[in-house]
């Protein structure tokens, strides 16, 4: 327990040697340190999970996720530890709140960043279903777009093909009707379209000629329709229409399995809305409160430090701070005095040296002048 306590003290950013002197403060900083530690642990899980989807499909995805998770957790731990340790209890409550405001904003941002990947994991099943629905709708839109493009591009050919089909249907009906009338003419059935004379006479031959013309035209139209259908089929293949199919359940599972962080994040946002575009209040509140929970969890050490009364540890830490500042000032004065003394000594030495040089030069010049 002693090692665990000292570890959480370290996590809280407290000055351990000072804190040990005041047992009444021990539990408070154990709680603060534990909160910071578990926040960093959640951050590691969150960052690792997010990075796993970034490298999803790679053989090193797990390794990258673990490495990034550790780095991200360490960074969050360091920031939280600094945020809490940098708040002092000096000054009024308003001054403390003003001092902590930037740190609270930073804690809120960290909480939002941490919570999002964990929310993705919590709502994983719902996200998968939403992605499947989205992929199917996207495939349908793609097929519809290609169909419209194809119809606009080959509108003339499609119109001609439709006309040939209509003419073929009309000719087939006319041929059946003409064949029936020919039989009536041959067997002598009296109608408004037949003469009523039995046998293969003049009227029967006329009707047979009309029937042959229609059959020949039907053969021509059928051949043209076949060629047009073949041409349009080739154009469909060229435009890619024949290769497009709706995704099978197995294909949807594969697509969802390799979906990236951005797709999952989008799907999580869409869970808060119904199909008709209205807000799904239950899901929205569930996602929101999970995010609020992590934000509160991240801000909790700062709030605890602000709400806790000024204790003996805070007083002692302030005194140590003042003593260190005083020592630094005195240390500065000593360094300045030493610098001044060294400078004065250097100046005196330099003056004496130059005097000797000038005196020696003057003696040399005097002796040389006397000799001349």
């Amino acid at each position: 327990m002693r090692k665990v306590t000292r570890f959480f003290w370290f996590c809280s950013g407290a000055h351990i040697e000072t804190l040990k002197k005041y047992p009444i403060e021990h539990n408070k900083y154990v709680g603060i340190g534990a909160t910071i530690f578990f926040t960093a642990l959640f951050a590691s899980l969150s960052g690792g999970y997010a990075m796993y989807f970034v490298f999803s499909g790679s053989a090193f995805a797990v390794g990258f996720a673990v490495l990034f998770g550790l780095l991200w957790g360490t960074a969050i731990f360091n920031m939280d530890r600094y945020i809490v340790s940098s708040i002092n209890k000096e000054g009024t409550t308003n001054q403390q709140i003003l001092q902590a405001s930037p740190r609270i904003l930073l804690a809120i941002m960290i909480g939002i960043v941490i919570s999002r990947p964990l929310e993705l994991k919590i709502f994983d099943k719902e996200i998968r279903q939403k992605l499947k629905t989205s992929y199917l709708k996207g495939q349908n839109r793609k097929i519809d777009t290609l169909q419209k493009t194809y119809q606009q591009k080959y509108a003339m050919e499609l119109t001609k093909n439709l006309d040939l089909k209509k003419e073929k249907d009309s000719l087939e009906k006319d041929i059946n009707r003409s064949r029936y009338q020919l039989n009536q003419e041959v067997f002598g059935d009296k109608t408004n379209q037949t003469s009523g004379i039995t046998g293969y006479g003049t009227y029967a031959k006329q009707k047979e000629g009309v029937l042959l013309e229609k059959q020949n035209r039907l053969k021509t139209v059928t051949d043209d329709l076949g060629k047009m259908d073949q041409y349009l089929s080739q154009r469909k293949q060229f435009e890619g229409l024949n290769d497009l199919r709706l995704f099978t359940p197995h294909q949807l599972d594969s697509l969802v399995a390799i979906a990236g962080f951005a797709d999952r994040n989008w799907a999580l946002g869409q869970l808060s809305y119904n199909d008709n575009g209205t807000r799904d209040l239950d899901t929205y509140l569930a996602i929101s409160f999970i995010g609020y929970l992590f934000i509160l969890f991240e801000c909790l050490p700062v709030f605890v430090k602000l709400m806790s009364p000024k204790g003996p540890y805070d007083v002692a830490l302030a005194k140590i701070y003042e003593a260190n500042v005083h020592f630094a000032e005195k240390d500065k004065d000593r360094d300045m005095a030493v610098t001044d003394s060294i400078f004065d000594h250097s100046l005196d030495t330099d003056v004496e040296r130059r005097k000797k040089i000038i005196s020696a030069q003057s003696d040399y010049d005097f002796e040389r002048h006397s000799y001349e």
Side-chain angles (χ1 to χ4, degrees):
M1 287 299 298
R2 184 177 299 175
K3 291 182 179 179
V4 173
T5 299
R6 288 181 66 88
F7 173 72
F8 286 141
W9 285 351
F10 166 77
C11 294
S12 69
H15 189 268
I16 296 177
E17 297 304 320
T18 304
L19 183 60
K20 286 167 64 177
K21 300 176 183 178
Y22 306 100
I24 196 173
E25 300 275 53
H26 288 181
N27 289 335
K28 180 174 75 173
Y29 283 91
V30 167
I32 293 174
T35 304
I36 293 175
F37 171 75
F38 285 110
T39 301
L41 181 61
F42 283 128
S44 295
L45 296 174
S46 174
Y49 183 73
M51 190 55 60
Y52 175 77
F53 283 105
V54 173
F55 292 97
S56 181
S58 171
F60 303 100
V62 176
F64 282 126
V66 172
L67 179 61
F68 181 80
L70 291 174
L71 291 175
W72 181 243
T74 303
I76 297 299
F77 171 79
N78 183 63
M79 282 190 288
D80 284 346
R81 188 169 178 269
Y82 167 74
I83 289 172
V84 175
S85 63
S86 62
I87 299 175
N88 59 64
K89 302 298 293 183
E90 298 299 318
T92 64
T93 302
N94 292 334
Q95 289 175 339
Q96 293 180 36
I97 294 175
L98 183 62
Q99 178 193 28
S101 296
R103 294 163 176 81
I104 293 174
L105 291 175
L106 180 59
I108 291 173
M109 293 301 299
I110 293 173
I112 294 173
V113 172
I114 289 175
S115 66
R116 199 60 174 179
L118 295 178
E119 289 172 357
L120 293 176
K121 184 59 179 176
I122 293 172
F123 293 95
D124 183 63
K125 291 183 179 179
E126 292 80 2
I127 289 172
R128 287 176 175 271
Q129 188 60 41
K130 180 63 72 173
L131 285 175
K132 288 180 181 180
T133 304
S134 174
Y135 290 152
L136 277 176
K137 289 182 178 178
Q139 187 72 354
N140 275 323
R141 286 194 298 269
K142 185 176 181 181
I143 292 174
D144 291 342
T145 300
L146 284 178
Q147 286 281 10
K148 290 179 181 178
T149 303
Y150 170 79
Q151 290 174 0
Q152 292 173 356
K153 192 173 182 179
Y154 300 100
M156 185 180 298
E157 289 83 355
L158 289 170
T159 301
K160 183 178 180 181
N161 189 65
L162 182 61
D163 292 340
L164 288 173
K165 287 181 178 179
K166 290 180 179 179
E167 186 178 0
K168 179 184 176 184
D169 294 338
S170 178
L171 284 171
E172 287 176 346
K173 292 179 182 179
D174 287 345
I175 288 172
N176 291 332
R177 186 168 53 252
S178 297
R179 187 178 289 116
Y180 178 73
Q181 290 176 358
L182 176 61
N183 291 333
Q184 286 181 320
E185 183 68 38
V186 170
F187 290 105
D189 295 336
K190 177 63 178 176
T191 65
N192 57 353
Q193 299 292 331
T194 59
S195 62
I197 302 174
T198 305
Y200 192 73
T202 304
Y203 292 107
K205 292 180 180 179
Q206 290 178 350
K207 292 185 179 297
E208 184 180 29
V210 172
L211 178 61
L212 288 175
E213 289 180 1
K214 292 181 178 178
Q215 287 177 339
N216 291 332
R217 178 58 186 169
L218 177 62
K219 183 177 181 304
T220 303
V221 170
T222 303
D223 292 341
D224 292 341
L225 184 61
K227 294 177 181 178
M228 185 60 67
D229 285 337
Q230 183 179 5
Y231 172 77
L232 290 175
S233 178
Q234 292 174 350
R235 292 297 89 191
K236 279 187 176 181
Q237 183 69 32
F238 177 78
E239 298 292 342
L241 277 172
N242 293 339
D243 298 329
L244 283 179
R245 298 289 186 276
L246 287 177
F247 294 128
T248 64
H250 178 70
Q251 288 175 324
L252 285 174
D253 290 336
S254 300
L255 289 171
V256 171
I258 61 173
F261 184 83
D263 285 349
R264 290 177 175 270
N265 185 57
W266 171 86
L268 179 60
Q270 293 300 309
L271 289 178
S272 301
Y273 295 92
N274 295 313
D275 293 335
N276 58 4
T278 59
R279 175 78 74 176
D280 186 350
L281 189 60
D282 293 335
T283 306
Y284 172 74
L285 290 177
I287 296 173
S288 299
F289 278 113
I290 290 174
Y292 297 152
L293 177 64
F294 281 100
I295 292 173
L296 178 62
F297 194 73
E298 176 65 25
C299 297
L300 191 60
V302 180
F303 292 151
V304 170
K305 191 72 178 289
L306 287 174
M307 292 186 298
S308 61
K310 186 177 181 179
Y313 168 76
D314 298 309
V315 176
L317 200 64
K319 298 300 182 184
I320 293 173
Y321 178 79
E322 291 178 6
N324 287 337
V325 171
H326 181 70
F327 179 80
E329 293 290 342
K330 291 298 182 183
D331 199 37
K332 182 192 72 171
D333 294 339
R334 186 197 62 180
D335 290 341
M336 291 177 65
V338 170
T339 301
D340 291 340
S341 179
I342 291 174
F343 181 79
D344 292 340
H345 178 72
S346 176
L347 180 61
D348 293 340
T349 303
D350 191 45
V351 170
E352 291 297 328
R353 182 176 60 82
R354 294 198 179 193
K355 284 181 179 180
K356 290 179 181 180
I357 292 174
I358 293 172
S359 298
Q361 184 67 37
S362 299
D363 293 340
Y364 174 75
D365 292 340
F366 178 75
E367 289 177 1
R368 189 177 61 177
H369 182 69
S370 298
Y371 179 76
E372 292 176 353

